[in-house]
Amino acid sequence: MTAERVIGVIGGSGVYDIAGLEGATWQAVETTFGAPSDELLAGYYDGVKMVFLPRHGRGHRFTPTSVPYRANIAAMKMMGVTDLVAVSAVGSLREDYAPGDFVVVDQYIDRTFARAKSFFDTGLVGHVSVAHPTCARLSALCAEAARKIGVTLHEGGTYVAMEGPQFSTQAESELYRSWHADVIGMTGMPEAKLAREAEMCYACVAMVTDFDCWHPDHDAVDVAQVVATAIANADKARNLVAALPALLKGPAETCTKGCTHALDGAIMTAPAKRDPEVIARLMPVMGRVLKG
Ligand SMILES: CSC[C@H]1O[C@H](OP(=O)(O)O)[C@H](O)[C@@H]1O
Ligand SMILES: Nc1ncnc2[nH]cnc12
């Protein structure tokens, strides 16, 4: 299978736009899961189509819980995105991951509990594997882009996704450290799980903004700290994103890591028992396996 390569970027705290997209326009997209966080900015960079969406909306309107994750992923899929890169601000849970460093996340511990985490629903049941929740191929290219622009990079890291919006207690922070998690944030899940259900390659580039609240030599995290570090590093994040098209040129092919076929054999509901309304809702997201 080949398709036009389309790079999607979801910007986190401090990253509400990307510069230099040719012919860029903000476009409203309505999905069968409602409206995404904002309009999507679509254009071309280096001859490659790119689509950008600010996760919390321009002006940061959505809490980590109220971000419309399903609509965001559905909108990216409808825009033809094949390779989705998430940019996120995170707290560090280890001494050697310092504010200003970048981490290409490869594992998650999902502690969120108040969000819709799947496109599937009563009437159409499916189970995908998230044993390896990010695409190793796209993650390696993000790491290459990070090296090109010269940021301090940690390739691989486990991200604890907490519900928020309050930051962690010290006991929680120590608990996550005892689990050998590396960074903490509030938005990495269910985003990664939904991208897998939508059969898109997904990578997460996390930007360390603070030491959460476990570090004896640093104040407990607050928004001012996160925002100051995120803004100071936002240009690095934008430069990293701008380095991606050169690394991802050419048509998108079947992902050798399996992302583009994550739904093969995943649907359990017998064809005769599938709910037509649920099928209609899921069609824009997983039409490949639902079409007739
Ligand atoms: C502003 S501090 C907490 C906020 O920042 C991170 O968001 P994102 O992942 O979108 O960069 C964190 O997950 C919280 O949502
Ligand atoms: N310490 C922290 N905890 C949760 N989310 C964050 N985002 C940035 N820093 C964070």
Side-chain angles (χ1 to χ4, degrees):
M1 178 217 77
T2 55
E4 183 189 4
R5 168 98 51 201
V6 182
I7 302 175
V9 178
I10 298 183
S13 297
V15 183
Y16 305 102
D17 60 26
I18 49 174
L21 279 189
E22 266 171 53
T25 48
W26 288 93
Q27 298 177 22
V29 177
E30 191 60 35
T31 81
T32 49
F33 290 87
S37 302
D38 205 328
E39 294 174 339
L40 286 84
L41 183 67
Y44 283 82
Y45 199 99
D46 235 356
V48 180
K49 186 168 177 190
M50 291 189 88
V51 180
F52 173 81
L53 174 65
R55 182 183 290 118
H56 301 272
R58 281 169 286 181
H60 206 111
R61 297 182 305 113
F62 290 96
T63 70
T65 301
S66 67
V67 167
Y69 295 97
R70 291 192 300 183
N72 288 354
I73 296 297
M76 285 287 181
K77 185 77 182 180
M78 288 166 66
M79 295 291 285
V81 168
T82 54
D83 297 83
L84 181 57
V85 176
V87 178
S88 270
V90 293
S92 168
L93 296 171
R94 39 190 294 180
E95 188 76 51
D96 55 339
Y97 284 22
D101 292 3
F102 280 62
V103 183
V104 176
V105 169
D106 66 345
Q107 278 296 333
Y108 294 83
I109 297 173
D110 186 0
R111 299 257 306 164
T112 65
F113 52 81
R115 309 166 186 196
K117 297 201 195 191
S118 174
F119 287 111
F120 291 108
D121 209 340
T122 309
L124 192 65
V125 181
H127 305 272
V128 294
S129 169
V130 286
H132 303 288
T134 59
C135 175
R137 177 195 57 85
L138 183 58
S139 297
L141 292 175
C142 289
E144 204 177 324
R147 278 190 290 270
K148 264 193 175 175
I149 61 152
V151 294
T152 302
L153 173 72
H154 305 281
E155 210 170 338
T158 298
Y159 176 125
V160 176
M162 58 176 291
E163 188 59 46
Q166 303 87 355
F167 293 110
S168 304
T169 66
Q170 193 172 339
E172 287 164 342
S173 199
E174 295 290 6
L175 177 69
Y176 305 145
R177 276 168 53 74
S178 79
W179 291 348
H180 304 291
D182 302 303
V183 295
I184 183 161
M186 303 178 190
T187 63
M189 284 293 177
E191 201 171 82
K193 287 177 175 168
L194 293 166
R196 178 58 50 81
E197 286 187 350
E199 297 192 318
M200 277 185 282
C201 295
Y202 179 90
C204 172
V205 177
M207 186 202 303
V208 177
T209 53
D210 54 270
F211 278 110
D212 201 39
C213 62
W214 60 270
H215 200 300
D217 303 333
H218 293 271
D219 290 339
V221 58
D222 60 20
V223 165
Q225 216 181 116
V226 173
V227 170
T229 316
I231 286 174
N233 289 284
D235 278 345
K236 288 189 207 162
R238 288 194 195 93
N239 291 343
L240 191 155
V241 163
L244 286 173
L247 300 171
L248 273 161
K249 273 191 190 300
E253 280 156 16
T254 302
C255 175
T256 52
K257 305 296 175 190
C259 307
T260 48
H261 283 71
L263 291 168
D264 282 356
I267 297 180
M268 291 205 66
T269 311
K273 297 288 182 188
R274 295 180 186 175
D275 180 333
E277 272 183 32
V278 182
I279 293 178
R281 206 175 332 134
L282 295 186
M283 195 60 87
V285 178
M286 49 183 81
R288 187 185 75 83
V289 290
L290 295 178
K291 277 181 193 139

